């Protein structure tokens, strides 16, 4: 797997308002892309490649968000391996990092665009919980998930998470005051 990257589209388009200096991108910001074969061995390889990329670029991602990203990547790559192998020789993986967010995307050549299924405890399933898990993980981290059709007729599933997890809500009846 060769990882290619550089400035993100957001960085490339940064312009300064009149009389202001352009915001400088942080050293960890950018977009990186690579491909992996549609094979079960790609699941841990993609996960490790993305984790290593984030760590080597010194992205200030919390441990909680990093674990969420690893779970999301595992599920998305597994789905591509299981469901798109007949139509796709390799999957595309993209990692983009902004000042306070990280986005991962997995692209394959299968035209089916899945929707996150609703949880139904009365139904017995042997599989099919991956996107449900992805949706719940993304929501818990305060992020968003989307599925888009590609120009080639396939799809890309993306998850965007904040680098830091959302603050837990304050307990009712408690107030924090300096005193």
């Amino acid at each position: 797997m060769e990882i290619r990257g550089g400035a993100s589209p957001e960085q490339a388009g940064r312009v300064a308002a009149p009389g202001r200096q352009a915001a400088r991108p942080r050293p960890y910001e950018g977009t990186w892309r690579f491909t992996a074969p549609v094979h079960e061995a790609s699941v841990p390889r993609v996960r490790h490649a993305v984790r290593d990329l984030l760590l080597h670029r010194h992205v200030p991602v919390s441990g909680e968000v990093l674990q969420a990203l690893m779970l999301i990547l595992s599920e998305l790559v597994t789905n591509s391996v299981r469901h798109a192998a007949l139509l796709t020789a390799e999957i595309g993986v993209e990692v983009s990092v902004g000042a306070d967010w990280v986005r991962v995307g997995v692209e394959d050549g299968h035209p089916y665009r899945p929707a996150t299924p609703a949880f139904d405890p009365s139904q017995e399933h042997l599989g099919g919980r991956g996107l449900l898990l992805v949706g719940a993980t993304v929501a818990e981290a305060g992020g968003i998930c989307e599925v888009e059709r590609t120009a080639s007729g396939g799809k890309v599933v993306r998850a965007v998470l904040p680098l830091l997890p959302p603050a837990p809500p304050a307990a009712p009846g408690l107030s924090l005051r300096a005193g």
Side-chain angles (χ1 to χ4, degrees):
M1 272 187 293
E2 176 190 351
I3 298 177
R4 298 174 304 277
S8 71
E10 291 82 4
Q11 291 172 347
R14 287 187 187 194
V15 288
R20 297 189 130 207
Q21 200 172 33
R24 293 196 98 112
R26 290 166 175 84
Y28 58 81
E29 291 183 70
T31 298
W32 298 269
R33 294 174 182 86
F34 61 95
T35 59
V38 179
H39 189 272
E40 287 183 21
S42 293
V43 176
R45 288 180 66 207
V46 166
R47 195 174 53 238
H48 294 152
V50 171
R51 182 200 62 211
D52 292 348
L53 170 70
L54 296 174
L55 294 176
H56 289 359
R57 297 290 304 179
H58 303 288
V59 176
V61 62
S62 74
E64 186 178 331
V65 171
L66 184 60
Q67 291 302 316
L69 279 172
M70 297 303 100
L71 176 62
I72 290 165
L73 277 168
S74 292
E75 292 299 329
L76 296 181
V77 174
T78 297
N79 282 351
S80 288
V81 167
R82 286 188 180 159
H83 303 295
L86 292 175
L87 300 174
T88 304
E90 43 182 35
I91 57 170
V93 178
E94 180 177 283
V95 180
S96 294
V97 181
D100 57 359
W101 54 266
V102 58
R103 178 179 62 218
V104 294
V106 176
E107 179 180 340
D108 64 48
H110 199 289
Y112 177 69
R113 292 174 50 193
T116 304
F119 178 69
D120 184 354
S122 67
Q123 298 293 317
E124 297 250 352
H125 295 281
L126 295 175
R129 304 289 179 147
L131 284 178
L132 183 64
L133 185 58
V134 167
T137 302
V138 168
E140 184 177 307
I144 60 169
C145 190
E146 60 189 12
V147 181
E148 272 184 29
R149 186 173 312 276
T150 63
S152 62
K155 68 180 163 305
V156 60
V157 182
R158 291 188 188 97
V160 183
L161 303 180
L163 291 175
L164 299 173
L174 293 179
S175 163
L176 299 177
R177 284 188 247 180

